[in-house]
Structures are given as structure tokens and as C-alpha cells.
Amino acid sequence: MSTPDNEVFPFKIIPSDSETQKAIARDFAGYPNGLASFNHWGFKLSATFSAGEIEDLYNYPTKPGDVWVVTPPKCGTTWTQEMVWLIANDLDYDGAKTTLSERWHFLDLNALTDKDILAQLAPVRRMEDISQQPNNSSHRAQPSFVKTHLPLSMINPRVLDVCKVVYVARNPKDVCISFFHHCRLLTHVDFLGDLQMFVKYFMEGRMVATPVMEHMIEAWNMRHHPNICFIFYEDMKRDLQSEIRRVAKFLGKSFSCEQVDELAEHLHFDNFKNNSYVNREEGKASGFFYADRGDFIRKGKTGDWKNHFTPEMSAKFDRWMAEKLKGTDLLFTMELEKQH
Ligand code: A3P
């Protein structure tokens, strides 16, 4: 809700054209009301999210010392959340025995979800506190932890003045494949098409939480800001200990080699997948996930795109990436020789 103290959200909301709306409603059962663009390069959220609500997110109360994880979907958000939380909380493994949803506020959950679909899910919701409104959280403990898929341009600049932001990026081919599985797994997204169709939506930036390249390029251009720590999923895969040390330094913490090794072990894919506080398996019982469409913590590999893309799809994707990356020095690791 707009109040005299609120800062005005700087972008105009533009609904997708009617052909796109029809296509979205047909191909994504979770978006019967379609999507809208919420910033200058067309970041898509549910068309049911209002101007007043996005302004509320823009004015989310921030406190010095709060820690944010900002990332497009499927870049390793959940993995990074657990790493960041444990580092910021001096490796409090006992404290980490509550779900991530209890430890982190998911800022834009409602913006990513169609209101009509949310209303259907509401009676069974347990996984996330969907009713939580940002402005209700003024009595939160210090520091607090915020996760968002909103791009930096849609987050109040005040956040970067007073909070620490860890931004995680991932190579777009693996993001796309991971997102495809995710959009089939989530009942409130429920993608009904095939991979080829999905890749088209992804590259055209016509589906929810896209375009992803602009999201990452924008953050890459801000990576030298003292309150941003820009990390790559592939670097976490390659050398998790080094990334732990880098994030620890950023958050003003220092740990022994043994402590870093222990955290890396805790975060290892095999342990993570079996950790009920982070693996979101409860989503199946609560009706958020289909029970028979795989797991949220899925493969955790770099280069899984090679198991999905045909040579033609891959070549087209490469051309698209090259076009988007023109004029930037952002480089992605598309595969790793050795994976842990
Ligand atoms: P895949 O679908 O490629 O397996 P997000 O949390 O942003 O939704 O990202 C999910 C992706 O991160 C999934 O990728 C998931 O398997 C992967 N992931 C989650 N935990 C991981 C871990 N501990 N190690 C490696 N990858 C992990």
C-alpha cells in the first residue's frame, strides 16, 4: 500500500500482449491470468500482482546487517541460502535444524504466483508462509535473511546501502534445463509443453521470472559494489571450500580449515538431498509439488544440458547467448571436468 513514507516503485507494469497471455494460460496451467513485465527489460511476474503490492516489496523494511540472496531461479538459490545462513550464524548446525522457509523470508513468492491458483493451494499450504506480508516483519530477529528472484533493478537501492547481498549466477543452459524440470514439478506453475517449447519461452523471456540473461548481466555490472558478493554455481561445484571462504570474508567471518571442510561436507549434494530441512520434500505432501515428477534437489550437476539439448537446440542457444553477452565480459562455465 502506498503511504507518504513509501518510495515509489520506479517502473510501470506492462501486461503481456494478448497472444502471449493466451499462450501462457494454455502452456502453463499455473498462470490462467498470464504475466506482466515489471521493469525496463521486461522481468515477468504474475499479472495478478498489483502496483501497490510491488511497491510494498520495493519498500520492504531493511536493517543494517540483514543478508539477502538475490538470484534468478535455479541458479543454486537453496544451496546458497544454507551456506550463507550457516556462515552468518557462526556454523550453528543446531539452529539450521528448521526449514529454510522458517529461516528466510521469500520476498517475491506472491509475485511469482497467480492469485487464483494460490487461493486453491491456500488450504493445504504449509511449506511457505504465503500470507506473510513484508511489512508485518518489523519485529524480526537480527539479522534477518531475505531470498528473492527479483533483479537488482527492482530492489530498493537502500538494500545495497545497508545490507549484504550474495548474488548467485549459473550457466544459462543448465538454468534452462533445471527450470524446465522445476516448472513441471510445481503444481502452481504446471508447464504442460515439451522441452523445445520451454526453451523458446526461456530464450524469448516470455515466462515467469525471465529474462534470466538480463538479470545476470545487470548484477555482473554491479559486482564491484562493496555490499555485493557475486558467485557462480559452477565455482561452488568446482571448489566449494574457496567459495565458503570468500562468502565468509564478505560477511566478516573467519573459520578454520576443519570448519570449512565440515561446512562443505554439510553442503555436499548427497547430504543436502537427504537433509529434510532444506530439500523441500514436504512440498509433495503440501500440494506444492507433484509427487511423481522428480525432486526439488534434482541432479546438482554442471553440464546436464548435454543430456537434454539436441545439437541444433544447443547451437541456437549458443547464438542467443552470444548475442545477449555482446559488450559484456561475463563468461559462463558450461561444463566441468571433475564434479564432486
Ligand atoms: P538441477 O535441477 O540442475 O539439479 P534453486 O535452489 O535456485 O532452485 O536451484 C536448484 C538447483 O540447484 C537444482 O539444479 C538443484 O539440484 C541444485 N542444487 C541444490 N542443492 C545443491 C547442492 N548441494 N549441490 C549442488 N547442486 C545443488
Side-chain angles (χ1 to χ4, degrees):
M1 260 242 312
S2 274
T3 70
D5 296 335
N6 270 8
E7 281 182 52
V8 176
F9 180 68
F11 303 107
K12 194 166 173 265
I13 304 174
I14 302 171
S16 303
D17 62 77
S18 63
E19 278 311 299
T20 300
Q21 297 292 43
K22 268 191 235 150
I24 293 285
R26 182 193 63 219
D27 300 331
F28 294 82
Y31 295 98
N33 299 294
L35 302 171
S37 292
F38 278 74
N39 75 352
H40 54 308
W41 42 259
F43 188 69
K44 304 290 180 305
L45 295 169
S46 167
T48 59
F49 206 64
S50 70
E53 288 168 314
I54 197 73
E55 192 158 294
D56 279 344
L57 297 196
Y58 195 68
N59 286 282
Y60 183 75
T62 48
K63 297 190 304 298
D66 283 358
V67 187
W68 289 48
V69 164
V70 179
T71 162
K74 311 320 291 176
C75 290
T77 324
T78 318
W79 194 17
T80 306
Q81 282 176 269
E82 181 72 348
M83 172 175 73
V84 164
W85 193 91
L86 278 163
I87 291 172
N89 287 286
D90 301 312
L91 310 179
D92 178 8
Y93 292 103
D94 281 337
K97 287 183 178 152
T98 53
T99 63
L100 283 172
S101 319
E102 289 167 89
R103 288 180 274 145
W104 288 76
H105 176 61
F106 188 172
L107 182 70
D108 44 328
L109 178 67
N110 289 1
L112 293 162
T113 317
D114 186 285
K115 279 198 180 129
D116 291 346
I117 299 294
L118 205 53
Q120 289 168 24
L121 275 173
V124 290
R125 73 185 171 211
R126 264 196 296 272
M127 189 177 72
E128 307 276 7
D129 181 11
I130 286 170
S131 64
Q132 185 184 358
Q133 289 302 313
N135 289 336
N136 289 346
S137 12
S138 48
H139 303 297
R140 297 163 303 152
Q142 302 236 1
S144 52
F145 296 85
V146 180
K147 149 197 169 177
T148 180
H149 294 312
L150 296 181
L152 289 173
S153 54
M154 287 175 59
I155 294 170
N156 198 311
R158 187 178 65 219
V159 171
L160 277 179
D161 291 341
V162 300
C163 307
K164 296 276 185 190
V165 172
V166 177
Y167 186 98
V168 54
R170 187 182 189 185
N171 87 62
K173 282 185 177 170
D174 281 330
V175 173
C176 183
I177 296 302
S178 183
F179 211 1
F180 170 66
H181 290 288
H182 182 83
C183 290
R184 286 180 33 77
L185 175 66
L186 266 63
T187 53
H188 57 286
V189 177
D190 203 1
F191 179 63
L192 303 170
D194 61 12
L195 178 62
Q196 195 148 8
M197 180 194 277
F198 187 86
V199 173
K200 192 167 184 301
Y201 271 115
F202 183 88
M203 290 199 298
E204 290 174 352
R206 289 200 306 157
M207 54 171 288
V208 73
T210 66
V212 160
M213 288 293 258
E214 281 78 352
H215 199 302
M216 295 199 275
I217 292 167
E218 184 178 271
W220 179 249
N221 291 338
M222 293 177 75
R223 70 191 180 283
H224 298 304
H225 190 291
N227 284 335
I228 295 183
C229 180
F230 190 109
I231 59 176
F232 286 101
Y233 177 95
E234 293 77 15
D235 287 340
M236 290 172 71
K237 285 293 299 180
R238 190 174 5 228
D239 184 354
L240 188 50
Q241 275 87 344
S242 291
E243 294 312 295
I244 289 171
R245 272 187 220 102
R246 200 155 80 83
V247 172
K249 190 168 176 217
F250 174 69
L251 296 177
K253 304 284 178 179
S254 157
F255 302 117
S256 68
C257 292
E258 291 72 30
Q259 286 174 315
V260 170
D261 285 348
E262 191 185 3
L263 179 55
E265 188 59 22
H266 175 86
L267 295 169
H268 188 280
F269 184 80
D270 298 337
N271 297 327
F272 210 79
K273 195 172 172 63
N274 291 320
N275 179 347
S276 61
Y277 301 112
V278 300
N279 67 14
R280 299 178 71 182
E281 273 295 295
E282 72 277 12
K284 292 181 180 167
S286 66
F288 269 84
F289 298 167
Y290 283 105
D292 56 352
R293 294 194 187 172
D295 298 326
F296 182 78
I297 307 298
R298 193 182 63 93
K299 265 196 180 172
K301 296 267 181 227
T302 290
D304 186 40
W305 59 268
K306 287 187 286 177
N307 299 316
H308 291 78
F309 279 45
T310 63
E312 293 73 29
M313 284 161 80
S314 180
K316 194 170 173 188
F317 204 98
D318 286 341
R319 284 195 297 277
W320 169 78
M321 275 198 331
E323 187 59 36
K324 290 279 177 190
L325 290 171
K326 256 188 201 159
T328 87
D329 56 354
L330 172 58
L331 284 177
F332 293 107
T333 302
M334 305 309 289
E335 50 191 299
L336 289 173
E337 275 170 30
K338 198 170 144 217
Q339 312 222 2
H340 301 281

